[in-house]
């Protein structure tokens, strides 16, 4: 969590972005100079299916305020069907979060294509707002990890 | 006669660079001849590129570096072409290498000489907005990077005095005894890519260029905008050094102007003006930008969306008017005098006026034509044929880039690759056995060594440095464990910075490198190669994207952007600690090609490849070849499209290397670059399996089936292609046809099809001229939104008006209507009503025939094929290339290429060019026996593997398989694409993805939140 | 194939007679079932018909989930002879999951599984109190009611009628009924003692038991209040965890050669300790307890059969089996998946439907 001049809470959102769609879309948002909050910290992966649900659990336990998994739209996967597996794994994890009352809003799966720079900016902006409402991730202060 | 593998490319702009790189990749020995001290050409002068606002130098720089470093390319800098003797396949080319008085091998680019040099000269690269010295570097990111002496101004050379530089130079690189040298090169072909000049607006006295300091040309403005330009991107009016409040762009300066012998459209000015307006507004808050234009020619792929964004999102104002004159106000502001659409006169005051100057042939083009023995067209561009757009009048000499007529960057790149295919068949090119001609030093063994990380933080001019506090990021990086070296660099990708990185690797004994700059998607290969050159394994490299995903996205929050940049650097360093050396697996290439689609593009690509000696499978879904082109009846130059097509089809059937499958469909495509397997369904219900190394997508497009304007309801409404058929069948012969009304943009440039179909304006005009030729008494009306006869087609627009074709503009809000005069009679003539903005009222025409220029539609089947090939489509369902500027025929997926209408609407010459380019790009693969597979692939730790087989089930490439004997999974390295789906499915972590390992990712996650917030 | 064989005698006697006959007649070569080992009860594999006397195949106790043992027996290939396997329904379901995940072979095995009244817990075993509990247990089962001292997870188990058994046994005081579900079962029972007749298992007869199981499950979930845990709840409940990983070692679905959570990759390195301490100012040592439990649920939850072994072995009485039953139940519902139901059905994470789960996309 970082705080800006006005002491506003700026969440840390780890973004697992697939190289071919969402990462490219994020680059496009930049080249188009679309402005969005500096909350997202991208980790580039070649495919969203690389994202082990444990990465998300680990991120949240280590204090990330949220995790965004970004992949190609269903059917557009550069690796044919990786994002379908991603979706199943994510659905499972989200259910685990829900079952334990763990603020499953702190994990998000979004499909953002290489040409959707504006959508990337919008998703980050909107998600940042949502996480601001949720407040900082309490796990960041917990001693028992 | 094939005697040599040498080829000469003249001119090293983006076209010359692309041509050289492709030729070198095919195995040719390239001599690249460049007049100036650096390669890069016009594109290097540009700030940004439309319609993506990509930073021009950012995307060009890697290509420049690659070109300079390619072992197959010899650069002849400061050189001119003198003559071409001999004949196609066996030329002797003479060039003159001008003396630079500096030994480029010795020069260390330290710049001490420049400091001492007393002679100041206006700098031509920076559009004369800045002064340089007589000893100088062409520009900051020059390739090669060495200094040169300008003999026209050097006191030692002109007057025999001074020589300070020689005394200062620590490298003893200066040699006043240097002389011009003549060199003869034997080669099989010559490619001319000498580019264009910008129009000099001095002849437009009414605009006050050079008289009023605040009137600048678009090229000057481009340099003013550029972060590395003379103003460092801080735009001020030259006359009063004030930041402009508003800017006017005046279009068509030196274009579409018959009086000044510029009866052509420069094709690029509308788009660059829109781009400059958008970028200027980014630089200066609250700036108003107004563009005075005749027609907005946003005809290219995704151009119209850019135009719309400029107007709606960025608030750029567009005024349709030709500016009469400009006067200066006290204080330096300017008054623009112009006419409103109704003829009334008006004025507006501006701080700065930008003249959108056109493209014109180089001043020395006549000399070049004489030296090379080629002929020019009426405008002074190189003469080519409508169906041979890359061939000059002299066999064996080819052209690419704007020398053949106005072109934007992707068209120049396409033409460059196209010219390569044309030239390649004259060269003796064997399939290359080795992966890389380039020799790298042996890789240092870093196994077991403690990480010693070098961090290089890029300013990217002011792109990063203007927002992110780069020095503090460097400090932060330096404080991190294992970071042995951290420094800031101006442009990490420039040749001198790459050299800096290499030196640091050696001197500081670095074994991991992090570059925090732009996106790894474009720049990772360049830096990886730099590591190799320094003797490090290329996978010991990591990038932090602090520009595209940081400084550019958080321009208004510099402090937060700096914190984020630190976090990104820390994440990168965390990952870098665990990087390990990886090796690439060689993949054998099956030297056969599959071309999907047998229209003009497919036929062209197939023939080009077959002529180069490759086996080609051509699959066409219709029972015969020809596609849309089979319906084109007329050409502008009087050529016969159908005779041309018949000849091509005959060549195909005569060529033993091409197997044609008509009435056939693609059922499935498996495999990867070099090793595809495609199942083709044949008309007899059987199917066959083809094995090939590359795929060229040339599936075309089709006419939009409109429901507007009584189409399909009245027999008197036809499309332009249907009209051509009518004309060819004698529709006008002996019939009193009074009125023909053409309506343009039917379906195009509106909701659902927010793109220009590009070729219809010229097609309407061509058909209108045909009507006038066949029956001058018939009145032809063309209802249009903008006339987009870009390039040299503009002259036909003028010709049509001369011949009495009537043009009337309409807006989307006031579309024409078409109603039968007698609704009872199905054969009734039609009443066309439209609002003419110049007349200011509606008018009606009773038409014998209404001809619709319907939009070009991407077929729905594209989606299926795209899925099979795993390649993307754009929002309009056209195939989406790897990069809209610099990779216009490639897909991100290796070994798959696109050409023709499948890519976006384009005319036949453009389809031929792109198809020829696709063939050349395919040859860069096919002419190698092996290429290297990805090094970042999955591996199994058999000790950890429980053999559950989940990885086998999720692997899309059948790369993960069970070793039944050992009961563990194994990965086939040639098949693995490195997606990592298996790694994430493996609970025990027995499978890991090299380069993206669990540990690397966990460490990146763990590095979170340790950036201290200052203050 | 369907058929019913009725053999007189108390449950263990009647099934011993049956198994002895199978061995004698050479229809099978061995028996895998619970047996006496000194003061204890353990699974035995016997081939000598005399040793059948030492078996207590229907004893309501689970010393270890048999699927684990069968996986060890058959991982590198089927057993050489035909083996009759007498295991509980949840063990059989776990075994099917292991077969799907290539951890066991079904070949040469004949599965005999009882309609299960639940099993007695480890506390009674430790106190040598199992035998005492049996009469009451049998009485309750005869009434199709939950016995008093079975484990909480068993009380809430809805899958007490075996799925995928060749032979289903209904234990009773006077005579056991053997329902022959497969051709294989029909084949080996030919000539067996007892009365062979037509007939299928009357599931409706177990409605009362099913009713109370469902009610118990609802009650268990309600009392657990997992959805109220949040971070606080996790810390509260798992605060007692010693990190022995006993729950993982007894879990039939945890078949990994080395659990990811025990691998070096998940150990904190000094820089990670440093950054974590900077953040938190303190850290439980060793860390990663919550990561282990949450992560393990994502690994085994989809195939969890609720066998209850984890709770039995937990030295600090964390209700792990209830927690896993509850969360497993939730994730299985996402994919409409019942572990152990269909041997042909792929594990949910190795397959997908193109048009599904759009509700998790955002």
């Amino acid at each position: 969590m970082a705080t800006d001049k006005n002491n506003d809470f700026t969440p840390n959102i780890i973004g697992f972005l697939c190289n071919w769609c969402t990462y490219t879309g994020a680059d496009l948002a930049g080249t188009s100079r679309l402005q969005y909050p500096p909350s997202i910290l991208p980790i580039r992966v070649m495919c969203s299916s690389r994202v082990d649900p444990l990465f998300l659990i680990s991120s949240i336990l280590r204090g990330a305020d949220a995790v965004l998994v970004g992949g190609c739209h269903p059917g557009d996967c550069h690796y044919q069907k990786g994002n379908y597996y991603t979706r199943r794994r994510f659905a499972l994890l989200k259910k685990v979060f829900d079952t334990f009352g763990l603020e499953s809003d702190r994990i998000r799966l979004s499909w953002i294509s290489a040409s959707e720079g504006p959508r990337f900016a919008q998703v980050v902006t909107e998600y940042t707002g949502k996480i601001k409402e949720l407040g900082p991730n309490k796990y960041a202060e917990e001693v028992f990890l | 006669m094939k005697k040599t593998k040498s080829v000469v490319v003249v001119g090293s702009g983006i076209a010359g660079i692309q041509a050289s790189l492709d030729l070198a990749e095919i195995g040719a020995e390239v001599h690249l001849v460049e007049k100036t001290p650096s390669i890069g050409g016009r594109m290097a002068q540009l700030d940004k590129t439309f319609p993506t606002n990509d930073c021009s130098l950012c995307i060009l720089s890697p290509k420049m570096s690659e070109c300079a470093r390619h072992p197959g390319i010899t650069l002849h800098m400061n050189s001119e072409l003198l003559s071409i003797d001999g004949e196609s396949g066996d030329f002797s080319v003479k060039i003159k290498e001008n003396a630079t008085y500096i030994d480029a091998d010795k020069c260390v680019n330290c710049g001490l000489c420049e400091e001492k040099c007393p002679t100041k000269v206006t700098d031509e690269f920076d559009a004369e907005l800045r002064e340089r010295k007589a000893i100088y570097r062409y520009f900051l990111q020059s390739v090669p990077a060495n200094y040169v002496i300008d003999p026209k101004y050097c006191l030692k050379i002109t007057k025999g005095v001074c020589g300070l530089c020689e005394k200062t130079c620590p490298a003893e690189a200066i040699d006043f005894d240097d002389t011009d040298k003549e060199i003869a090169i034997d080669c099989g072909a010559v490619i001319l890519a000498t580019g264009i000049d910008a129009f000099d607006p001095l002849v437009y006295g009414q605009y006050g260029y050079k008289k009023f300091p605040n009137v600048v040309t678009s090229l000057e403005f481009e340099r003013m905008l550029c972060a590395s330009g003379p103003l460092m991107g801080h735009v001020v009016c030259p006359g009063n050094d004030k930041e402009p409040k508003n800017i006017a762009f005046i279009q068509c300066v030196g274009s579409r102007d018959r009086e000044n012998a510029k009866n052509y459209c420069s094709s690029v000015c509308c788009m660059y003006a829109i781009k400059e307006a958008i970028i200027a507004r980014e630089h200066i808050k609250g700036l108003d930008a107004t563009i005075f234009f005749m027609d907005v020619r946003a005809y290219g792929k995704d151009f119209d969306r850019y135009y719309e964004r400029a107007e709606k999102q960025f608030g750029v104002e567009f005024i349709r008017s030709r500016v009469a004159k400009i006067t200066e106000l006290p204080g330096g502001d300017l008054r623009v005098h112009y006419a409103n659409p109704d003829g009334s006169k008006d004025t507006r005051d501006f701080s700065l006026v930008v003249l959108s100057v056109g493209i014109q042939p180089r001043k020395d083009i006549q000399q070049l034509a004489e030296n090379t023995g080629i002929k020019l067209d009426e405008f002074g561009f190189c003469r080519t044929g409508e169906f041979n757009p890359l061939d000059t009048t002299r066999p064996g000499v080819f052209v690419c880039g704007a020398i053949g007529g106005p072109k934007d960057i992707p068209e120049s790149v396409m033409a460059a690759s196209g010219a390569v295919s044309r030239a390649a068949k004259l060269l003796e090119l064997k399939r290359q056995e080795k992966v890389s001609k380039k020799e790298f030093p042996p890789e240092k063994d870093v196994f077991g060594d403690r990480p010693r990380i070098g961090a290089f933080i890029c300013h990217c001019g002011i792109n990063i440095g203007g927002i992110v506090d780069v020095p503090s990021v460097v400090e932060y990086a330096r404080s991190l464990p294992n970071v042995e070296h951290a420094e800031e660099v101006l442009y990490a990708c420039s040749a001198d910075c790459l050299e800096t990185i290499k030196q640091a690797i050696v001197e500081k004994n670095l074994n991991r490198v992090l570059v925090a700059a732009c996106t790894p998607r474009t720049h990772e290969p360049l830096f990886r190669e730099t590591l190799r050159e320094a003797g490090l394994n290329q996978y010991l490299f990591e990038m932090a994207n602090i520009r595209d995903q940081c400084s550019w996205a958080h321009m208004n929050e510099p402090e937060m952007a700096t914190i984020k940049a630190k976090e990104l650097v820390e994440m990168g360093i965390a990952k870098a600690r665990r990087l390990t050396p990886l090796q690439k697996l060689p993949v054998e290439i099956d030297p056969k090609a599959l071309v999907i689609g047998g229209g003009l593009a497919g036929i062209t690509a197939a023939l080009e490849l077959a002529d180069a000696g490759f086996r080609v499978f051509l699959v066409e879904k219709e029972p015969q070849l020809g596609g849309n082109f089979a319906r084109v009846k007329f050409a502008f130059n009087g050529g016969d499209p159908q005779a041309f097509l018949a000849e091509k089809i005959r060549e195909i059937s005569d060529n033993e290397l091409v197997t044609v499958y008509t009435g056939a469909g693609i059922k499935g495509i498996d495999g990867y670059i070099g090793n595809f397997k495609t199942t083709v369904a044949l008309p007899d219900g059987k199917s066959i399996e083809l094995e090939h190394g590359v795929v060229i997508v040339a599936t075309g497009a089709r006419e939009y089936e409109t429901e507007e304007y009584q189409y399909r309801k009245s027999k008197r409404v036809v499309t332009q292609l249907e009209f051509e058929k009518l004309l060819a069948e004698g529709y006008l012969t002996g019939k009193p046809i009074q009125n023909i009304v053409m309506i343009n943009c039917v379906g195009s440039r509106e909701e659902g099809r927010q793109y220009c179909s590009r070729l219809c304006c010229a097609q309407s005009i061509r058909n209108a001229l045909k009507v006038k030729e066949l029956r001058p008494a018939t009145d032809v009306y063309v209802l249009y939104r903008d006339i987009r006869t870009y390039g040299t087609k503009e002259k036909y627009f003028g010709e049509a008006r001369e011949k009495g074709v009537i043009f009337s503009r309409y807006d989307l809000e006031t579309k024409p209507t078409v109603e039968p005069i007698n609704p009872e009679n199905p054969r009734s003539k039609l009443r066309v009503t439209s609002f003419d903005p110049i007349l200011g009222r509606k008018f009606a025409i009773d038409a014998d025939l209404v001809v619709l220029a319907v939009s070009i539609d991407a077929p729905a089947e594209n989606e299926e094929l795209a899925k099979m090939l795993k390649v993307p489509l754009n929002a309009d369902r056209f195939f989406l290339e790897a990069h809209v500027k610099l990779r216009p025929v490639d897909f991100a997926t290796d070994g798959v290429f696109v050409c023709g209408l499948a890519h976006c609407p384009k005319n036949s010459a453009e389809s031929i060019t792109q198809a020829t380019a696709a063939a050349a790009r395919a040859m860069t693969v096919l002419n190698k026996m092996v290429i290297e597979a990805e090094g970042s692939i999955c591996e199994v730790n058999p000790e950890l593997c429980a053999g559950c087989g989940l990885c086998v089930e999720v692997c899309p490439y059948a790369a993960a398989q069970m070793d039944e004997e050992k009961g563990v999974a194994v990965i086939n390295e040639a098949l693995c694409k490195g997606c990592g789906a298996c790694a994430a499915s493996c609970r025990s972590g027995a499978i890991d993805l090299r380069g993206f390992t669990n540990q690397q990712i966990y460490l990146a996650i763990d590095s979170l939140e340790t950036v201290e917030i200052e203050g | 194939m369907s058929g019913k064989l009725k053999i007189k005698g108390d449950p263990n006697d009647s099934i011993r007679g049956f198994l002895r006959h199978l061995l004698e007649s050479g229809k099978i070569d061995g028996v895998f079932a619970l047996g006496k080992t000194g003061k204890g009860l353990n699974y035995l594999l016997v081939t000598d018909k005399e040793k059948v006397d030492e078996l207590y195949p229907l004893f309501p106790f689970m010393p270890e989930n048999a699927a684990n043992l069968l996986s060890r027996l058959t991982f590198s290939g089927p057993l050489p002879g035909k083996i009759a396997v007498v295991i509980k329904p949840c063990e059989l379901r776990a075994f099917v999951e292991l077969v799907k995940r290539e951890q066991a072979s079904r070949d040469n095995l004949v599965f005999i599984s009882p309609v299960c009244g639940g099993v007695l817990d480890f506390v009674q075993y430790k106190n040598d109190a199992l035998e005492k509990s049996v009469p009451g247990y049998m009485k309750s089962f005869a009434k199709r009611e939950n016995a008093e001292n079975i484990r909480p997870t068993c009380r809430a188990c809805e899958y007490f009628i075996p799925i995928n058994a060749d032979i289903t046994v209904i234990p009773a005081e006077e005579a056991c009924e053997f329902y022959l579900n497969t051709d294989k079962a029909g084949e080996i029972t030919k000539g067996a003692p007892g009365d062979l007749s037509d007939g299928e298992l009357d599931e409706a007869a177990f409605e009362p038991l099913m009713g109370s199981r469902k009610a118990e499950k609802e009650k268990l979930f309600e009392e657990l209040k997992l959805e109220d845990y949040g971070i606080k709840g996790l810390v509260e409940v798992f605060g007692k965890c010693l990190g022995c990983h006993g729950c993982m070692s007894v879990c039939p679905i945890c078949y990994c050669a080395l659990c990811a959570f025990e691998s070096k990759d998940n150990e904190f390195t000094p820089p990670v300790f440093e950054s974590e301490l900077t953040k938190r100012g303190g850290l439980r040592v060793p860390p990663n307890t919550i990561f282990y439990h949450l992560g393990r649920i994502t690994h085994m939850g989809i195939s969890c059969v609720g066998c209850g072994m984890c709770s039995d072995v937990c030295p600090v009485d964390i209700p792990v089996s209830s927690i896993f039953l509850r969360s497993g139940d939730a994730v299985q519902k996402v994919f409409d998946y019942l572990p152990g139901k269909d041997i042909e059905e792929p594990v949910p994470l190795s397959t997908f439907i193109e048009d599904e789960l759009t509700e998790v996309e955002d």
Side-chain angles (χ1 to χ4, degrees), chain C residues 194-319:
Chain C
D195 309 327
L196 187 65
S197 64
D198 280 347
E200 278 182 47
L201 182 77
D202 178 16
E203 293 194 8
F206 292 95
E207 280 296 343
L209 185 57
M210 183 64 92
S212 51
R213 292 282 174 97
K214 280 189 168 155
E216 290 280 350
K217 185 174 174 181
E218 210 167 297
K219 202 174 122 208
L220 179 75
F221 286 4
E222 201 152 292
E223 284 169 1
L224 199 58
K225 289 208 181 359
L226 212 54
E227 46 290 311
D228 294 347
Y229 271 33
I231 293 160
K232 259 188 113 154
L234 282 173
V235 169
E236 184 78 23
V237 171
F238 289 108
K240 274 169 83 183
C241 176
L242 302 172
C244 72
H245 292 190
C247 43
M248 176 265 286
S249 41
V250 297
C251 178
I253 308 305
C254 282
Y255 53 77
C256 290
L258 174 67
C259 177
F261 303 101
E262 297 194 333
S263 114
K264 281 209 174 105
D265 277 3
N266 278 305
E267 289 289 342
F268 274 26
T269 53
V272 175
F273 267 116
E274 196 188 328
S275 78
E276 289 301 315
L277 287 170
T278 310
K279 234 181 294 181
R280 298 165 202 280
L283 203 57
R284 177 188 163 156
V285 183
N288 273 347
T289 306
I290 308 272
F291 186 49
Y292 164 73
H293 287 291
L294 275 182
R296 215 173 72 81
I297 288 165
T298 69
H299 282 175
M300 45 58 78
I302 197 78
S303 291
C304 174
V305 295
C307 72
M309 280 309 302
C310 43
S311 276
D312 271 349
V313 302
C314 181
V316 291
D317 289 339
I318 299 170

Side-chain angles (χ1 to χ4, degrees), chain B residues 702-719:
Chain B
R702 58 179 162 227
E703 287 190 301
Y704 165 52
E705 186 75 26
T706 183
E707 289 174 5
E708 283 184 289
Y709 305 122
Q710 307 291 329
Y711 185 64
R712 295 272 187 245
K713 292 187 195 89
S714 166
K715 284 235 154 56
R716 290 181 183 272
V717 184
V718 294
T719 68

Side-chain angles (χ1 to χ4, degrees), chain B residues 62 188 230 269 276 314 359 441 488 585 686 711 716 873 918 922 926 947:
Chain B
C269 328
E276 288 182 357
F314 295 96
I359 280 170
E488 53 194 285
L585 189 84
K686 293 193 185 119
Y711 185 64
R716 290 181 183 272
L873 301 176
L926 299 176

